[in-house]
Amino acid sequence: MKYLSVLRSMAGLLILTAGLTSCEDVIDLETQSGPEQLVVDAWINNLPGRQTIRLTWSAAYFNNSAPKPVLGASVIVTDNLGKQFVFTDSAQTGNYTWGSTPLDTLGHIGRTYRLEVKNANDTYTATSELKRVPAIDSLVYRHEKLPFTPDDGPREGFVAQFYARDFPGAGDTYWIKPIINGKAVVNKAVNISIAYDAAFSAGAPSDGLIFILPLRESITTDSLYSAGQAVGVEIHSITNKAFEYLKLVREQASNGGLFATPIANIPSNVVNQNSSGEKALGLFSASAVVRKETVIDPEKARPDDD
């Protein structure tokens, strides 16, 4: 009788599974394509050398092709002292650049910058202040051995972290970027690391303090570092508007699963002066940047937590 009960249970399960399978239908969703919108990717800074502003057109959500560049636009940045910086797209790629020598410097702390993009009958403008950025005191790293072997990266390696102190005075916001082999790398939106004063958000009692530990170690992202690897950190000062923009980008990149919310365009600070024209997407932001680098030397590593 026990075996009969088991067989009956198995039969019931098979019938239920078959019923569920028979209810599966393929549904093709037909979505409307909205109008093309200007997408502005404009992050200028105070580092010497070339500055780039990228202009593209938006595309339908399910369009996986490369963004179409905006060609023939007029792109000018003007500071609050009246100095103009004309960006040109000589290669016709949608990448508008300024600066002909490695010593050319556009950004200066304390100044306000205004972007103006003219394309066809539309004129778009945006403003951003180039705010202060704290010095990086030191870079350290510790040895760590993971309890499992990850799919990408070594099981044993090093976790890097930086030490820096937020300025006194609430409301400073920052973008923290890891440097890997000499280049600042943010290849995944979910890895965007931003700080409000020395913590994650406004309201935390972190003004004027050393950045909290999760932020300090945010320069170690998808895998452990290896001995001999060049690593480091860049801290970019950003406005509160840029902070909120990046926070929404990160949230939408990690928005998935059963309780995911509908994706929507993130509000931009780029405004079309033609009230009847299409709105713009993207952001214009000015940053002061500090960076510090080191090479992983196992002899200089801090001991692991064990």
Side-chain angles (χ1 to χ4, degrees):
M1 294 297 292
K2 180 176 70 172
Y3 295 108
L4 180 60
S5 299
V6 172
L7 290 173
R8 286 175 177 172
S9 298
M10 292 177 64
L13 179 61
L14 289 172
I15 293 171
L16 176 61
T17 304
L20 291 173
T21 304
S22 65
C23 292
E24 291 181 357
D25 292 317
V26 177
I27 300 175
D28 294 324
L29 294 176
E30 294 185 5
T31 58
Q32 294 183 346
S33 297
E36 287 187 331
Q37 294 175 264
L38 175 71
V39 182
V40 177
D41 184 11
W43 300 82
I44 63 173
N45 57 55
N46 67 336
L47 296 177
R50 178 172 294 180
Q51 305 276 323
T52 301
I53 293 175
R54 179 163 173 76
L55 303 180
T56 57
W57 293 111
S58 65
Y61 181 77
F62 292 107
N63 184 348
N64 293 322
S65 60
K68 186 170 67 175
V70 176
L71 305 179
S74 168
V75 180
I76 298 175
V77 173
T78 307
D79 67 17
N80 58 307
L81 301 181
K83 186 173 182 179
Q84 285 192 340
F85 307 88
V86 179
F87 286 67
T88 57
D89 180 21
S90 56
Q92 295 290 286
T93 59
N95 293 318
Y96 293 77
T97 63
W98 173 90
S100 56
T101 75
L103 299 179
D104 290 336
T105 303
L106 190 155
H108 296 277
I109 294 174
R111 295 188 188 178
T112 300
Y113 294 85
R114 180 180 186 270
L115 171 68
E116 180 183 81
V117 176
K118 291 183 178 180
N119 185 66
N121 296 323
D122 293 309
T123 298
Y124 302 85
T125 63
T127 60
S128 180
E129 180 186 358
L130 201 152
K131 301 176 66 178
R132 60 188 182 173
V133 65
I136 300 168
D137 178 69
S138 60
L139 272 170
V140 299
Y141 41 90
R142 59 179 172 83
H143 178 265
E144 182 163 308
K145 185 176 182 180
L146 300 175
F148 58 90
T149 300
D151 295 333
D152 185 16
R155 180 182 180 185
E156 192 169 356
F158 300 88
V159 175
Q161 67 171 292
F162 70 94
Y163 282 86
R165 183 179 293 275
D166 171 53
F167 288 111
D172 290 290
T173 42
Y174 313 100
W175 187 0
I176 301 163
K177 300 181 181 182
I179 298 175
I180 302 175
N181 297 325
K183 183 178 179 181
V185 177
V186 184
N187 54 7
K188 296 180 181 178
V190 292
N191 289 339
I192 290 175
S193 177
I194 50 178
Y196 194 106
D197 291 326
F200 290 115
S201 60
S206 61
D207 177 46
L209 302 181
I210 294 173
F211 286 92
I212 63 174
L213 180 60
L215 290 171
R216 297 202 307 268
E217 288 194 348
S218 67
I219 58 174
T220 305
T221 54
D222 293 327
S223 64
L224 300 175
Y225 292 117
S226 302
Q229 193 167 9
V231 302
V233 60
E234 279 187 355
I235 303 179
H236 295 234
S237 64
I238 55 175
T239 62
N240 292 169
K241 174 68 177 180
F243 175 86
E244 294 298 329
Y245 180 89
L246 290 171
K247 184 172 72 171
L248 289 173
V249 169
R250 186 178 61 192
E251 288 176 356
Q252 291 212 4
S254 58
N255 179 29
L258 181 62
F259 300 103
T261 56
I263 294 177
N265 288 331
I266 298 173
S268 171
N269 67 341
V270 183
V271 178
N272 192 342
Q273 299 304 302
N274 177 8
S275 59
S276 60
E278 293 295 336
K279 293 182 179 181
L281 303 172
L283 197 79
F284 171 61
S285 178
S287 297
V289 183
V290 292
R291 62 185 288 156
K292 197 175 188 69
E293 297 176 78
T294 190
V295 175
I296 299 291
D297 180 354
E299 297 298 323
K300 297 179 181 179
R302 293 183 172 185
D304 57 26
D305 294 337
D306 295 336

